Amino acid sequence: MIGHEEHNSAPTATKRVLITGGAGQIAYALLPHLISGRVFGCQTRLIVHLLDIPGTENALRGVQMEIEDAASPVVVGLVTTTDLRTAFTGVDYAILLGGFPRLPGMERKELLAKNVEIITTHAAALDDHASRDVKVVVVANPANTLALVAKKRASSLPAENFSCLTRLDHDRLRGMVAKKLTSLRISSSIPECSAAITATQVRNVAIWGNHSSTQVPSAGQAQVELGGKWVSIHEVLQEKDAAWLHGQLVTSVQQRGAEILAARKLSSALSAASAISKHVRDWVHGTPEGEFVSMGVFVSKDCTYDIPEDIFFSFPVKCKGGQWKVVEGLSLSEETRRRVLSTVTELVEERDLALSLVGGASHL
Amino acid sequence: MIGHEEHNSAPTATKRVLITGGAGQIAYALLPHLISGRVFGCQTRLIVHLLDIPGTENALRGVQMEIEDAASPVVVGLVTTTDLRTAFTGVDYAILLGGFPRLPGMERKELLAKNVEIITTHAAALDDHASRDVKVVVVANPANTLALVAKKRASSLPAENFSCLTRLDHDRLRGMVAKKLTSLRISSSIPECSAAITATQVRNVAIWGNHSSTQVPSAGQAQVELGGKWVSIHEVLQEKDAAWLHGQLVTSVQQRGAEILAARKLSSALSAASAISKHVRDWVHGTPEGEFVSMGVFVSKDCTYDIPEDIFFSFPVKCKGGQWKVVEGLSLSEETRRRVLSTVTELVEERDLALSLVGGASHL
């Protein structure tokens, strides 16, 4: 079961992967996932592009040396740069971490303005220099709205190649459900079952909407693996726990980022990097049979959940052959629908504000 | 080739893995490797113990939340603590990162004294509370001498269960050789060979001696994978490059840590974590057929390389069934032998100083 990944030979392709904010803490946590071969597969050789702002050259050089020192089975090139054209030329994947951090006393609108400006510059470089098939993941905040701005500005690229990260919220939800089920010892009566439930024994939770505190974490359709079978979460929760599922759990996921920031005095990096690597892996190589994950994607006309067009919205999706597809036909509770309306409202307002900052969509 | 590691069920064992310095930057970089299932295998469930000093409780709580949020397929428990007994009880693996950092103006002896004190406390806790089969990796510096102190203090545990990390130096050496070979385009004439050589296409380098600037990196017996075959490095290097192999390359590896510290203003974490994860994986699951790696291990009576007993010395080793074995019969050049004598001298002096600080071995 232990992969000596170094011994997979016969590489079949070389891909260029760009990380913006390449000298930052999330990039530092993400790179080990990428260079291990786990995200793109050991048959895919990588040329890693790291972009950051002028002044970070030494830090970038340090990261470059450490990647060289990590004995990667897939890395065949490293480009560290503060030049946009160099960074974006020919890239097949663009993971956009780079953004301005919110400083004390800074207004939300002021932060949005700064990050819209950054993402617009990056999107222009994508439009001009990236592979025509480039897949884009926006992580910088506000991620959904920045993904929308990027998609509009990089108008020569297909809308479905843009996404924003909500997998972190998705995996937080799985982890919290697993912890709850472990505490309830729901599996202790099942032969050959450990009392502990791992996060990957919970699947098909979903995050709806904005990657913000209005997000709608939903675990009503979750399944739990017990003794080798996937069963509905409602089969293992008692009525009193169902109240937790639709109440405290939702709030805990919405506030998790703030809770970690308060404890670490730094935002999430380890868990964000884990989520990014899974987002990309599943997008590129497909979601496992029977499982869906959450991704923020562009809402088009034929959306079945009555979500308005022209925003990036997190949905449960399945991926296959490098394409995502929204999972249709899930039934949402009245409470969940009410929450969805609220996150939609926020996204529409955020979009209108962002577009006004750049002088309207026609200026993108 | 992409491992949906979440779908490996039927766990066979639960192991407790302790990291000291659990709130630090190397622990933060190491944890993703451990919780992914890549180090111990997806059949082994993990209870992760994180120990750090009082005052780090919030940081530890932040790390704990992030591990919960990273959807690990193997983690079934987390113990974050500042209490030694809680930290060490029942652990099967102990990765000892915790040590005092060298502060400006601090004498080398002063630093040694502080870290000998820390490691002695931790070794006592290992002796009293850990599994009788615990495998120990010392990373805190000076790693070789601290491993010796730990082995002496934890006298109820087998000497061969102690090791210190030199895999980072080993992998730095592989990376530098790969980069050189890529620059020489040595593979460009071979059909179906990329011009770029990855670090894992270089094997059987070795680090001899102390994890310090006296270490002896040796690539004379290295092999390179070209077109699916492993060939001697001497078949691909010209005479002028051979001078590089025994000269500049050695110095570059010895000084790499300092170079990264200067660039990052922080010591290596990403690459150190990568090396630790491979050290443990290979120790536990065996080195690949035909390959040896470097580990710092206790020198016993029957050492064939004329290294004096009673120090921890980095050797080329092969691992199988959870046991390491020094690779015998490698021929060392005159120059390498001279360098080995020098690192031996340093290790003996470091040992004598460390033991004098604790009042001699009989006080351990």
Side-chain angles (χ1 to χ4, degrees):
Chain A
M1 286 315 306
I2 297 301
H4 275 296
E5 70 283 354
E6 28 277 55
H7 297 92
N8 293 306
S9 49
T12 56
T14 300
K15 298 288 182 187
R16 290 179 184 269
V17 185
L18 164 66
I19 303 176
T20 71
Q25 64 151 356
I26 299 180
Y28 197 73
L30 175 61
L31 280 161
H33 294 277
L34 301 181
I35 71 175
S36 73
R38 296 179 70 218
V39 175
F40 298 101
C42 282
Q43 312 308 306
T44 303
R45 292 188 152 201
L46 298 183
I47 297 171
V48 177
H49 292 218
L50 298 176
L51 171 73
D52 215 312
I53 55 176
T56 62
E57 289 85 353
N58 273 337
L60 284 173
R61 164 111 183 96
V63 177
Q64 169 163 0
M65 286 189 280
E66 288 212 72
I67 297 174
E68 290 170 3
D69 294 353
S72 163
V74 293
V75 172
V76 291
L78 276 162
V79 177
T80 58
T81 184
T82 59
D83 174 68
L84 281 175
R85 185 182 186 135
T86 308
F88 282 87
T89 295
V91 301
D92 301 290
Y93 300 95
I95 301 169
L96 305 183
L97 310 178
F100 212 80
R102 188 162 180 176
L103 301 178
M106 186 186 270
E107 289 291 324
R108 190 158 170 277
K109 185 173 172 177
E110 201 183 335
L111 178 71
L112 182 66
K114 285 201 178 283
N115 283 342
V116 164
E117 188 186 331
I118 293 168
I119 206 80
T120 303
T121 317
H122 290 177
L126 274 173
D127 206 32
D128 291 343
H129 305 302
S131 158
R132 299 299 85 190
D133 298 319
V134 63
K135 283 183 158 64
V136 182
V137 188
V138 179
V139 180
N141 280 315
N144 296 53
T145 297
L146 295 184
L148 181 75
V149 171
K151 177 257 164 199
K152 286 183 182 292
R153 178 59 188 82
S155 56
S156 70
L157 301 171
E160 61 267 26
N161 284 17
F162 289 79
S163 68
C164 69
L165 186 77
T166 56
R167 182 65 175 262
L168 177 53
D169 309 298
H170 181 96
D171 282 350
R172 283 169 173 166
L173 186 43
R174 294 167 82 191
M176 287 182 197
V177 170
K179 194 172 180 178
K180 180 73 168 187
L181 297 181
T182 297
S183 76
L184 295 175
R185 306 186 66 80
I186 56 108
S187 64
S188 59
S189 63
I190 300 173
E192 295 177 39
C193 249
S194 156
I197 303 288
T198 65
T200 54
Q201 285 178 271
V202 177
R203 72 177 185 187
N204 298 357
V205 302
I207 303 294
W208 303 82
N210 202 1
H211 172 63
S212 77
S213 60
T214 69
Q215 66 174 262
V216 187
S218 147
Q221 70 296 324
Q223 297 178 329
V224 185
E225 195 240 301
L226 292 176
K229 284 186 197 154
W230 290 98
V231 303
S232 163
I233 191 162
H234 298 292
E235 289 184 37
V236 294
L237 280 186
Q238 299 189 332
E239 203 156 325
K240 65 175 166 45
D241 303 314
W244 167 84
L245 196 73
H246 300 292
Q248 185 55 49
L249 174 62
V250 171
T251 313
S252 295
V253 173
Q254 289 169 334
Q255 295 172 352
R256 185 67 155 188
E259 198 185 356
I260 288 170
L261 181 59
R264 285 194 359 109
K265 315 288 180 220
L266 286 169
S267 57
S268 311
L270 183 160
S271 51
S274 165
I276 296 164
S277 72
K278 289 170 186 176
H279 174 112
V280 175
R281 182 197 65 187
D282 286 348
W283 192 3
V284 173
H285 293 282
T287 39
E289 188 62 34
E291 179 162 345
F292 53 77
V293 297
S294 301
M295 276 174 79
V297 296
F298 185 62
V299 181
S300 58
K301 274 179 196 147
D302 53 352
C303 176
T304 57
Y305 289 104
D306 287 331
I307 309 300
E309 291 175 59
D310 205 27
I311 54 176
F312 270 71
F313 195 86
S314 178
F315 286 105
V317 301
K318 292 187 174 186
C319 302
K320 195 173 180 181
Q323 308 291 320
W324 53 264
K325 196 168 181 312
V326 173
V327 175
E328 302 193 6
L330 294 178
S331 77
L332 307 185
S333 69
E334 204 55 45
E335 176 65 17
T336 299
R337 284 179 185 279
R338 200 181 52 72
R339 288 176 177 144
V340 164
L341 283 180
S342 157
T343 196
V344 163
T345 302
E346 184 185 57
L347 278 167
V348 168
E349 284 173 8
E350 216 170 77
R351 173 193 65 199
D352 293 346
L353 179 57
L355 296 184
S356 76
L357 289 167
V358 288
S362 61
H363 286 256
L364 280 172
Chain B
M1 286 315 307
I2 298 300
H4 275 296
E5 70 283 354
E6 28 276 58
H7 297 91
N8 294 306
S9 49
T12 56
T14 300
K15 298 287 182 187
R16 291 179 183 267
V17 185
L18 164 67
I19 303 176
T20 71
Q25 64 151 356
I26 298 180
Y28 197 73
L30 175 60
L31 280 160
H33 294 277
L34 301 180
I35 72 174
S36 72
R38 295 179 70 219
V39 174
F40 298 100
C42 281
Q43 313 308 306
T44 304
R45 291 188 154 202
L46 298 183
I47 298 170
V48 177
H49 292 216
L50 298 176
L51 171 73
D52 215 312
I53 55 176
T56 62
E57 290 85 352
N58 274 337
L60 284 173
R61 163 111 183 97
V63 177
Q64 169 163 0
M65 286 189 279
E66 289 212 71
I67 296 174
E68 290 171 2
D69 294 353
S72 163
V74 293
V75 172
V76 291
L78 277 162
V79 177
T80 58
T81 183
T82 59
D83 174 67
L84 281 175
R85 186 183 185 134
T86 307
F88 282 87
T89 294
V91 301
D92 301 290
Y93 300 95
I95 301 170
L96 305 183
L97 310 178
F100 211 81
R102 188 161 181 177
L103 300 178
M106 185 185 271
E107 289 291 324
R108 190 160 169 277
K109 185 173 174 176
E110 201 182 335
L111 178 71
L112 182 67
K114 285 202 178 283
N115 283 342
V116 163
E117 188 185 331
I118 292 169
I119 206 81
T120 304
T121 317
H122 291 176
L126 274 172
D127 206 32
D128 292 343
H129 305 302
S131 157
R132 298 299 86 189
D133 299 319
V134 64
K135 284 183 159 62
V136 182
V137 188
V138 179
V139 180
N141 281 315
N144 296 53
T145 298
L146 295 184
L148 182 74
V149 171
K151 177 257 163 199
K152 286 183 181 291
R153 177 60 187 83
S155 56
S156 71
L157 301 171
E160 62 267 25
N161 284 16
F162 289 78
S163 68
C164 70
L165 186 77
T166 57
R167 182 65 175 262
L168 176 53
D169 309 298
H170 180 96
D171 281 349
R172 284 169 171 166
L173 186 43
R174 294 167 82 191
M176 288 182 197
V177 170
K179 194 172 180 179
K180 180 73 167 187
L181 296 181
T182 297
S183 76
L184 296 175
R185 304 187 66 80
I186 56 109
S187 64
S188 58
S189 62
I190 299 172
E192 297 178 38
C193 248
S194 156
I197 303 287
T198 65
T200 54
Q201 286 177 270
V202 177
R203 72 178 185 189
N204 298 358
V205 302
I207 303 295
W208 303 83
N210 202 1
H211 173 63
S212 77
S213 59
T214 70
Q215 65 173 261
V216 187
S218 148
Q221 69 295 327
Q223 297 177 328
V224 185
E225 195 240 302
L226 292 175
K229 284 185 196 153
W230 290 98
V231 303
S232 162
I233 192 163
H234 298 293
E235 288 184 38
V236 295
L237 280 184
Q238 299 189 330
E239 203 156 322
K240 65 175 167 42
D241 303 314
W244 168 84
L245 196 72
H246 299 291
Q248 184 55 49
L249 174 63
V250 171
T251 313
S252 295
V253 173
Q254 288 169 335
Q255 295 173 353
R256 184 67 155 190
E259 198 185 356
I260 288 169
L261 181 59
R264 285 196 355 111
K265 316 288 180 219
L266 286 169
S267 57
S268 311
L270 182 159
S271 51
S274 165
I276 296 164
S277 72
K278 290 170 185 177
H279 174 112
V280 176
R281 182 197 63 188
D282 286 348
W283 192 2
V284 174
H285 293 282
T287 39
E289 188 63 33
E291 179 162 347
F292 53 77
V293 297
S294 301
M295 276 174 78
V297 297
F298 185 63
V299 181
S300 57
K301 276 180 193 146
D302 53 353
C303 176
T304 57
Y305 290 105
D306 286 332
I307 309 300
E309 291 175 60
D310 205 28
I311 55 175
F312 271 70
F313 195 86
S314 178
F315 286 106
V317 301
K318 291 188 176 186
C319 301
K320 194 173 179 180
Q323 308 292 320
W324 53 264
K325 197 168 182 312
V326 173
V327 176
E328 302 194 4
L330 294 179
S331 77
L332 306 184
S333 68
E334 205 54 46
E335 175 67 16
T336 299
R337 284 180 185 280
R338 200 182 50 73
R339 288 176 177 142
V340 164
L341 283 180
S342 156
T343 197
V344 163
T345 302
E346 184 185 59
L347 278 167
V348 168
E349 284 173 9
E350 216 170 78
R351 172 192 66 200
D352 294 346
L353 179 57
L355 296 184
S356 75
L357 289 167
V358 288
S362 62
H363 287 255
L364 281 171

